[in-house]
Amino acid sequence: MSLPARLPDLARKVSTDTSESYQDPPAESPSEELLDLYYSFFHNAHPCVLPRRYLAKRSEVDRVAFRPVLLVMQYIGSLYTTSVSSEPLEVSVTEALVEDLESSEINGHYVQALVLYSIAVFWRNDIDRGLKLLDRAISNAIQIGMNTQEFAMIYGEGFPVLEESWRRTWWLMCVADAHIAGSTHTYPFRMTNISVDVDLPCEEDRYDAGDIPRPKSLSEYETREFTECDGDFSSFAELIGLVRALDVVFSQGRKFDHSSIATLITNYDASITGWCSLLPQSKKKLFRSDGTLDEQLFRAEILINTLVSEANTLLSSNSNRYVIDIHRPLSDLAYCAIESVSRCAPPAPKHIPVSSNHTPRILRAIESFNGLLTLSGSLKVHTPFIICMIANTTVAYLSACKHVLDNKAVRLAREKIRMNMGLLKALGKHWPLAERTYQEVGIIAREILCLLDHDVSAPATYCLVGRSSQSTSPPIFDLDHEIDLATLLGFEQIGF
C-alpha cells in the first residue's frame, strides 16, 4: 500500500549512511513539524520513543519497522495544531497498524505505536477503543517478551539508546495502565499478575544525550530499603516504584463498604509513606537545578495528591499524603447523585459512617493538588490523564463548598474551582474528552451549588440529604450540544 500524500517524506528515498554523526536537516517538512510538536508537547510525559536526533537516523535505516510509530507520533503532533487535519493522519495510522498485524510484523516499534495511540484514542473520547488498543499492546508486548530483562539486549541491535527505548516502552505501558485504572475506577490493574524483570529507565537528560549508564535492575530497586546508599534511581524509576506500590494496594480490587475502605486507606498510607521516606535527597524537589519541572516526579506527586509544604516545592516524607479518591468516602464531603454524570467520577459509597479526621486530610490534598497545577507554565505538556484528576478534585471541592467550608473559605475555593474549569476548557482544545469532562463538571457544579440561570434550564435536584438518603438515577444530558459552561457558571474564562 502506498503512503498517503500528506506524508511524502516517509516514502522518499533516504540516505543509507549509518554513521553516528548527526546533522540538522536543511529544512523541515510538514511531517517533521508534526514530530516537533510531538516532542514539544507529548514526549516528556510519555518518554519511550527514541530521542529526536536518534529517531531521525534510525528510522532512515529501517523505515518499515518505524513506520507505525512515526505515523502515530505525527498524528499526536497534529492534535496540538489547527493547521493540519488529524483525520487523514489517523486513517494512515490505523491502516499501518492493520498492515503490520496481518503481516505478523509484531515488534517493539509496533507495541510503541499501540501504547501511544491507545492514550490518544482514549482522550479523544473514544474510550472503549482506547482500552482495547491498550489491551492489545499489553498482549503483543508479552507475546514478544518485552516483559523480560533480555528483550532490550536481544533487540537493541547493540545500540544502548534503543535498548533504553525498549525498557521505557514496557514501563510506560505499566504507568498508562495505572492511569487508566484510576481514570475508569477499575481495579486491579490490567498488568497486576504479569511477571516482569525489565531493568529500570535512566534519567531523562542522559537518555536525550544518548549517554546510557548501566541500567538499574528491578530487584535493586525493590531491595533499596536494605542498602546504605540512596541507590541513584532515576525519576522515571521512582514513578514506576510508586505505580507498583499502588498496584499492590489495589491488587484485591476495590469495594465500597466501610471495612474495605478503611483497610484500603491503611494499606495505601503504609505504601505511600514507605515510598516517600525512601526518596533520595536528589528527588525531593520537583524542579531541576536548571529550573525545569521534573515531569516524572510531577506525575508521581499528582498520583498521590501530596502537600506542597515549602515554597520551593520540597517533598516531605510525612504520612499526611492522601489520595482524594480514597479518603472522600469517609469524609464529610457528601456525594451527590448528579456526580455520576461524569465518567471520571468514582462510584458513590452507600451508607458509610463518616469520620471527622478524614475531612481535613482531603481538604489538604485538594489544596496540594491545586498547588501542583500552578507550578508549570503550560498544562498541555502534561499527560492527558491529568484531566480526570482535575475533574475529581474539582467535584470534591464543590462538595466541600456545600457541606464543609464557611462563607470566606467558599469564596477562596470558588476561585480555585474557576482555575480548574479554565484548565479543563483549555485541555479540551486538544483532547475532546477534556471538553466533555468540562461540561460534565459544569453540570455537577450547577446542581451542587444550586446555581440558577434564567436563560438555561437547570437540572432537577439530585443532591443527597445526609448519608441516609436514597440516590436517584441522574438525568441524561445532551453533552454533544455546544454550551459555554464557564459563562453559565459565572466562571471567568482563563486565557492560555
Side-chain angles (χ1 to χ4, degrees):
M1 185 186 337
S2 60
L3 292 175
R6 346 187 20 92
L7 301 173
D9 59 319
L10 284 182
R12 69 184 180 214
K13 181 176 178 61
V14 296
S15 169
T16 57
D17 177 19
T18 58
S19 67
E20 292 301 314
S21 61
Y22 299 97
Q23 296 181 354
D24 293 332
E28 288 197 337
S29 67
S31 57
E32 285 173 338
E33 292 175 359
L34 293 177
L35 291 178
D36 287 343
L37 289 169
Y38 173 89
Y39 279 100
S40 295
F41 297 111
F42 196 80
H43 175 72
N44 288 342
H46 315 85
C48 70
V49 298
L50 291 171
R52 184 76 169 93
R53 59 175 181 154
Y54 293 101
L55 179 79
K57 181 60 64 174
R58 300 296 297 187
S59 61
E60 287 182 356
V61 175
D62 193 353
R63 286 179 295 144
V64 174
F66 277 88
R67 180 171 177 260
V69 71
L70 281 171
L71 288 170
V72 169
M73 293 168 68
Q74 290 168 357
Y75 166 66
I76 294 174
S78 73
L79 304 179
Y80 293 94
T81 180
T82 58
S83 63
V84 176
S85 173
S86 60
E87 293 181 5
L89 291 168
E90 186 167 21
V91 171
S92 299
V93 167
T94 56
E95 289 177 349
L97 292 176
V98 169
E99 274 185 344
D100 276 16
L101 184 63
E102 291 177 346
S103 64
S104 300
E105 292 292 334
I106 304 300
N107 54 35
H109 301 294
Y110 184 82
V111 173
Q112 275 186 349
L114 279 178
V115 174
L116 296 171
Y117 185 50
S118 71
I119 295 172
V121 168
F122 185 94
W123 292 104
R124 293 291 289 172
N125 201 21
D126 196 348
I127 295 174
D128 291 340
R129 190 162 70 95
L131 297 177
K132 290 177 181 177
L133 285 165
L134 180 61
D135 288 339
R136 185 166 136 197
I138 295 170
S139 176
N140 287 160
I142 295 171
Q143 177 185 338
I144 63 176
M146 289 192 83
N147 57 317
T148 66
Q149 186 182 47
E150 295 79 17
F151 181 89
M153 181 179 64
I154 294 172
Y155 295 97
E157 304 172 17
F159 187 39
V161 181
L162 184 57
E163 293 177 6
E164 174 73 5
S165 178
W166 296 146
R167 293 189 286 268
R168 286 167 170 264
T169 300
W170 174 263
W171 290 122
L172 176 66
M173 190 159 46
C174 292
V175 173
D177 179 33
H179 277 304
I180 287 283
S183 298
T184 59
H185 308 285
T186 52
Y187 305 100
F189 299 167
R190 285 169 164 75
M191 303 175 73
T192 292
N193 296 316
I194 297 175
S195 176
V196 57
D197 62 353
V198 179
D199 289 333
L200 297 171
C202 65
E203 293 289 6
E204 303 307 306
D205 58 346
R206 299 193 72 169
Y207 182 47
D208 291 340
D211 178 23
I212 310 300
R214 180 192 73 82
K216 299 283 186 178
S217 70
L218 185 59
S219 62
E220 285 179 289
Y221 184 85
E222 295 191 334
T223 57
R224 68 196 184 285
E225 65 269 33
F226 304 119
T227 61
E228 295 182 0
C229 60
D230 283 344
D232 194 27
F233 295 99
S234 69
S235 298
F236 198 169
E238 295 292 354
L239 173 60
I240 292 164
L242 173 64
V243 166
R244 288 177 62 82
L246 293 175
D247 187 14
V248 173
V249 171
F250 290 104
S251 61
Q252 302 302 313
R254 186 176 180 186
K255 299 178 182 179
F256 290 90
D257 59 277
H258 184 275
S259 176
S260 297
I261 292 175
T263 299
L264 179 67
I265 289 174
T266 299
N267 293 338
Y268 174 85
D269 286 351
S271 293
I272 298 308
T273 300
W275 181 84
C276 292
S277 65
L278 291 174
L279 276 177
Q281 193 65 33
S282 61
K283 300 300 175 189
K284 291 186 175 180
K285 290 184 179 180
L286 290 180
F287 285 91
R288 304 184 184 93
S289 57
D290 63 358
T292 59
L293 183 69
D294 188 319
E295 187 65 34
Q296 307 312 317
L297 288 180
F298 177 82
R299 292 178 73 180
E301 287 287 273
I302 288 292
L303 273 175
I304 59 177
N305 291 305
T306 59
L307 296 175
V308 182
S309 59
E310 296 183 20
N312 64 355
T313 70
L314 177 67
L315 281 76
S316 65
S317 59
N318 64 70
S319 60
N320 290 325
R321 296 166 177 265
Y322 299 90
V323 70
I324 294 169
D325 192 23
I326 291 178
H327 276 272
R328 189 182 169 195
L330 299 184
S331 75
D332 292 312
L333 275 61
Y335 287 79
C336 180
I338 195 67
E339 292 179 30
S340 63
V341 78
S342 171
R343 295 192 182 191
C344 291
K350 297 180 180 179
H351 313 304
I352 294 180
V354 302
S355 175
S356 59
N357 66 323
H358 291 276
T359 302
R361 293 173 180 174
I362 194 171
L363 291 176
R364 287 196 298 268
I366 291 171
E367 290 290 336
S368 166
F369 184 85
N370 280 322
L372 287 168
L373 293 180
T374 64
L375 290 180
S376 61
S378 175
L379 198 70
K380 66 182 179 181
V381 301
H382 301 309
T383 178
F385 286 109
I386 200 174
I387 292 166
C388 273
M389 300 178 193
I390 295 174
N392 289 338
T393 301
T394 304
V395 172
Y397 224 170
L398 288 166
S399 179
C401 288
K402 185 175 182 68
H403 299 287
V404 177
L405 303 179
D406 59 26
N407 289 338
K408 182 178 180 181
V410 166
R411 292 180 63 186
L412 292 172
R414 284 288 298 275
E415 292 300 322
K416 294 173 182 178
I417 290 171
R418 286 187 176 96
M419 178 189 76
N420 290 355
M421 293 298 289
L423 296 176
L424 286 175
K425 189 174 181 67
L427 287 167
K429 296 176 182 178
H430 312 289
W431 305 108
L433 192 50
E435 174 63 24
R436 182 184 182 93
T437 302
Y438 166 74
Q439 296 192 32
E440 291 168 346
V441 175
I443 291 169
I444 294 167
R446 288 185 58 82
E447 179 65 11
I448 291 178
L449 299 181
C450 300
L451 299 176
L452 297 178
D453 190 314
H454 297 296
D455 297 325
V456 179
S457 297
T461 299
Y462 284 86
C463 286
L464 302 179
V465 181
R467 292 282 176 172
S468 60
S469 298
Q470 298 294 322
S471 299
T472 309
S473 298
I476 298 175
F477 294 94
D478 179 13
L479 295 177
D480 294 324
H481 178 65
E482 188 68 26
I483 183 170
D484 187 352
L485 284 166
T487 301
L488 293 180
L489 293 171
F491 294 160
E492 298 173 0
Q493 296 193 30
I494 303 174
F496 290 89

